[in-house]
Amino acid sequence: MDFSSFPLDTQNCSLELESYAYNENDLMLYWKNGNDSLRTDEIVLSQFFIEHFHASSGLAFYSSTGWYNRLFINFILQRHIFFFMLQTYFPTMLMVVLSWVSFWIDRRAVPARVSLGMTTVLTMSTIITGVSSSMPQVSYVKAVDIYLWTSFLFVFLSVIEYAAVNFCTTLEEMRKMKRGKIPSTFNASQAMAFDGCFHDNDVELTHFSRATPTLTSDPRAPDVRPPEGTRLRRQRSVRENVDLFVSNSYMIDSYSRLAFPLSYLLFNTIYWSLYS
């Protein structure tokens, strides 16, 4: 049996009927009505349902005794998927969706987000271990393995995403301290003792008045406006892009709220279209 598409697989199983005591000169076996000779309406299997079957006959040769008549039945068996949906796929989907809740939790709530991330990772590990112990032990990758490990990757990336958010937040506050925007009486170790990062309500930022540009009405000043139809744009360097993310670490959560669900939806669309 080929389990590469397990548990969304279809198996072709054969049944052979033959007499080992009488050869073709003594006994002839044949199907009286072809496929109508068999009735599978009352056959109920725990993991499969019979999708199709085909009856045929033939001869088998043995060098010591001669030719023997043989009957064949080929069954096309489709595996029931509802059991695996309840035991494997639905819990896995719920764990992946649960890991996205951390994107809506405040980035300063380190215990809440870390606990949620580690719980979902450990739960996914338990699901993978339980499914692997009950599955056929084969040396190739099955369809359920692809789904489980991809879902585990999504859960793991949600934990890594918060690690990046927390690092950028801490780095941003350290830069504020170096710029002198935090008073000297500010105790950084006490602020970070509870959740591992600084708090905005403990930081007193200096207010800067926004400078208003002055317009000169000197008629002798040359007109340096670009010609009509052109647009001037300065491209940011890699360092400036990194500084932008560091100074706006909340943007990582905002992008993740959209990127993770869309990516997982795309994965499910491809997965179920290929194997179902």
Side-chain angles (χ1 to χ4, degrees):
M1 301 177 71
D2 183 16
F3 293 102
S4 58
S5 299
F6 184 90
L8 305 171
D9 55 339
T10 301
Q11 301 295 337
N12 185 2
C13 299
S14 61
L15 177 64
E16 300 178 1
L17 304 177
E18 179 183 336
S19 173
Y20 290 94
Y22 302 97
N23 56 19
E24 64 171 347
N25 297 324
D26 301 326
L27 179 66
M28 290 294 296
L29 300 176
Y30 62 95
W31 296 107
K32 184 176 181 180
N33 298 319
N35 286 348
D36 296 334
S37 302
L38 302 176
R39 297 197 50 163
T40 60
D41 300 337
E42 300 178 356
I43 299 177
V44 179
L45 302 178
S46 58
Q47 295 188 22
F48 298 92
F49 65 89
I50 301 177
E51 182 178 359
H52 178 69
F53 68 92
H54 177 67
S56 60
S57 61
L59 295 175
F61 177 74
Y62 298 94
S63 58
S64 58
T65 55
W67 292 89
Y68 287 78
N69 194 250
R70 180 180 297 179
L71 301 180
F72 300 93
I73 313 174
N74 291 324
F75 293 97
I76 306 298
L77 304 178
Q78 179 70 38
R79 193 181 302 272
H80 290 291
I81 188 60
F82 189 70
F83 169 80
F84 298 97
M85 293 295 295
L86 291 178
Q87 299 295 324
T88 304
Y89 288 99
F90 284 159
T92 302
M93 293 178 185
L94 293 178
M95 285 299 104
V96 175
V97 174
L98 183 61
S99 67
W100 300 340
V101 177
S102 63
F103 301 151
W104 278 266
I105 300 177
D106 186 18
R107 54 196 172 104
R108 297 172 181 83
V110 177
R113 295 190 65 165
V114 171
S115 301
L116 179 60
M118 295 306 299
T119 301
T120 52
V121 168
L122 294 177
T123 305
M124 281 299 305
S125 301
T126 304
I127 293 176
I128 293 175
T129 303
V131 171
S132 300
S133 61
S134 61
M135 294 297 173
Q137 303 299 320
V138 294
S139 59
Y140 48 85
V141 179
K142 302 181 291 293
V144 67
D145 296 332
I146 297 176
Y147 194 89
L148 289 176
W149 283 104
T150 304
S151 300
F152 180 82
L153 180 63
F154 274 91
V155 175
F156 178 76
L157 288 179
S158 65
V159 180
I160 299 301
E161 184 269 347
Y162 177 63
V165 171
N166 185 265
F167 174 77
C168 293
T169 303
T170 305
L171 187 61
E172 178 186 358
E173 299 297 343
M174 293 299 293
R175 289 183 177 180
K176 291 179 182 179
M177 291 184 62
K178 291 181 180 180
R179 294 172 185 170
K181 294 185 178 182
I182 298 179
S184 58
T185 58
F186 180 73
N187 192 345
S189 60
Q190 294 180 359
M192 298 181 66
F194 178 70
D195 57 7
C197 63
F198 297 101
H199 297 269
D200 288 344
N201 54 4
D202 295 329
V203 181
E204 297 179 0
L205 301 180
T206 58
H207 299 280
F208 296 93
S209 59
R210 181 173 299 177
T212 58
T214 58
L215 301 177
T216 60
S217 59
D218 189 0
R220 294 175 297 179
D223 189 6
V224 294
R225 293 180 300 176
E228 185 177 358
T230 61
R231 178 177 297 177
L232 299 179
R233 178 179 297 176
R234 186 176 67 88
Q235 295 183 354
R236 296 192 185 98
S237 62
V238 178
R239 182 181 180 85
E240 291 177 346
N241 290 328
V242 174
D243 292 339
L244 179 62
F245 269 98
V246 171
S247 59
N248 301 279
S249 56
Y250 65 91
M251 295 174 56
I252 302 178
D253 279 340
S254 300
Y255 292 147
S256 298
R257 294 170 188 172
L258 184 63
F260 274 74
L262 290 180
S263 300
Y264 195 65
L265 180 61
L266 178 62
F267 163 70
N268 276 274
T269 303
I270 297 175
Y271 179 86
W272 294 106
S273 61
L274 288 178
Y275 289 102
S276 61

